[in-house]
Amino acid sequence: MNYNLKEMDTYAKKWVKEAGENIRASFPKTLNVTSKSNPNDLVTDIDQATEQYFIKKIKETYPDHKIMGEEGYGDEVTGLSGVVWIIDPIDGTMNFVHQQRNFAISIGIYVDGEGMIGIIYDVVHDELYHCIKGNGVYLNEKSIPKLTEAKVSESIIALNATWVAPNKRIDHQLLIPLVKDVRGTRSYGSAAMEMVYVATGRIDAYMTPRLAPWDIAAGIIMIKELGGEATDLRGEEFDMLKQNSLFVSKPGLHGDILRNYLKDGKW
Ligand code: 2AM
Ligand code: CA
């Protein structure tokens, strides 16, 4: 297949900025909010319109590329051969609805299964995080430095409080020792934002037992590019066609946490 990463990156960033402008323009208007799988799984007309906007642009420009989008307007993607755009039009929809901040547009572009371009746009702050594999990661025009090692006792980890209270998905006792040993915990409510916080070193790690491919597609490319580690909670590679657990971290810290805190979990 014929593809040009630089050109795709330029278009993707342009479309993301345009979509962000439309999202900012929507703030004074009344949102049409409905729920999907459960009453807390929200979607708005803006999530849907944003995804449709990307699909129109991508299909016009690259008719042979495939698109996997959270809101289901893309293709039925059953394999990762060729170029696949993995899109979350708004990651952190609950924040978007309640706070009008702490959400992002996330686009990962995969070529034959390999993550090549990652774009995460913090719409409210006009902060565009972007990366082409092998060329570093940038926040707007500024290069983001490589990640350095950190100790558990001096780290801040992002983790949702759900996972240390009784819940349906995991044994909530498993993560309590880690929460006690780290310097602090945070929860931002958008996986894409939490991953750029790891990429920029604002936090040291982020973990969660279940995310969809579009939540993680862009962020894991950036973290790996910066020398960080991105695996599931067992330390294994992701399957971008399924739900996965996620554990992203600075180097060194990743192995320490896996060995000392995560190894007994049935993730
Ligand atoms: P979303 O806002 O795009 O739905 C919140 O902790 C994070 O988990 C967000 O990145 C959110 O993405 C994601 N999320 C929420 N519900 C989810 C679900 N049912 N499956 C997978 N990811 C989900
Ligand atoms: Ca979303």
Side-chain angles (χ1 to χ4, degrees), residues 45-57 73 89:
D45 45 346
I46 309 296
D47 298 63
Q48 293 165 337
T50 304
E51 180 164 311
Q52 285 168 323
Y53 179 78
F54 289 131
I55 287 167
K56 179 169 177 289
K57 294 290 184 186
Y73 298 107

Side-chain angles (χ1 to χ4, degrees), residues 120-248:
I120 294 177
Y121 186 40
D122 178 344
V123 171
V124 172
H125 296 109
D126 190 25
E127 289 179 336
L128 185 71
Y129 300 83
H130 53 105
C131 155
I132 301 179
K133 189 180 167 146
N135 288 308
V137 186
Y138 292 80
L139 164 47
N140 293 334
E141 303 310 317
K142 203 162 171 277
S143 170
I144 299 177
K146 287 262 181 189
L147 291 167
T148 54
E149 302 211 349
K151 287 189 206 165
V152 170
S153 61
E154 294 174 2
S155 63
I156 301 179
I157 61 164
L159 174 80
N160 195 308
T162 313
W163 312 122
V164 285
N167 67 81
K168 283 185 292 197
R169 190 154 294 276
I170 60 168
D171 171 3
H172 74 283
Q173 310 274 4
L174 286 166
L175 293 172
I176 293 175
L178 177 63
V179 168
K180 284 184 171 162
D181 287 353
V182 292
R183 180 168 276 169
T185 59
R186 299 289 184 271
S187 180
Y188 297 99
S190 154
M193 295 300 296
E194 283 163 303
M195 285 192 284
V196 293
Y197 287 175
V198 172
T200 50
R202 295 168 196 157
I203 59 175
D204 301 285
Y206 167 56
M207 61 185 64
T208 188
R210 194 189 64 169
L211 287 174
W214 41 81
D215 298 318
I216 64 175
I220 60 178
I221 299 172
M222 295 184 195
I223 290 169
K224 287 181 181 169
E225 177 72 13
L226 292 168
E229 299 198 43
T231 65
D232 68 13
L233 282 165
R234 291 176 303 208
E236 289 166 14
E237 279 291 312
F238 305 103
D239 179 347
M240 292 308 277
L241 296 172
K242 293 200 316 218
Q243 300 253 357
N244 294 272
S245 65
L246 175 72
F247 174 36
V248 292

Side-chain angles (χ1 to χ4, degrees), residues 36 42 47 70-71 88-93 214-215:
K36 295 191 281 187
L42 307 178
D47 298 63
E70 173 167 18
E71 308 312 337
D88 193 341
I90 297 186
D91 183 69
T93 300
W214 41 81
D215 298 318

Side-chain angles (χ1 to χ4, degrees), residues 19-27 46 50 89-90 96 103 105 123:
E21 218 170 289
N22 290 335
I23 293 172
R24 286 191 296 269
S26 78
F27 283 162
I46 309 296
T50 304
I90 297 186
F96 173 63
F103 67 89
I105 297 171
V123 171

Side-chain angles (χ1 to χ4, degrees), residues 11-81:
Y11 275 125
K13 288 191 291 200
K14 178 172 176 281
W15 298 333
V16 162
K17 287 269 197 162
E18 286 167 2
E21 218 170 289
N22 290 335
I23 293 172
R24 286 191 296 269
S26 78
F27 283 162
K29 300 181 191 150
T30 307
L31 277 176
N32 179 3
V33 185
T34 48
S35 54
K36 295 191 281 187
S37 62
N38 68 65
N40 299 326
D41 185 9
L42 307 178
V43 62
T44 74
D45 45 346
I46 309 296
D47 298 63
Q48 293 165 337
T50 304
E51 180 164 311
Q52 285 168 323
Y53 179 78
F54 289 131
I55 287 167
K56 179 169 177 289
K57 294 290 184 186
I58 297 163
K59 289 287 176 198
E60 275 169 13
T61 315
Y62 299 114
D64 54 347
H65 291 187
K66 291 185 277 185
I67 307 168
M68 190 195 304
E70 173 167 18
E71 308 312 337
Y73 298 107
D75 303 306
E76 192 73 55
V77 176
T78 54
L80 291 177
S81 63

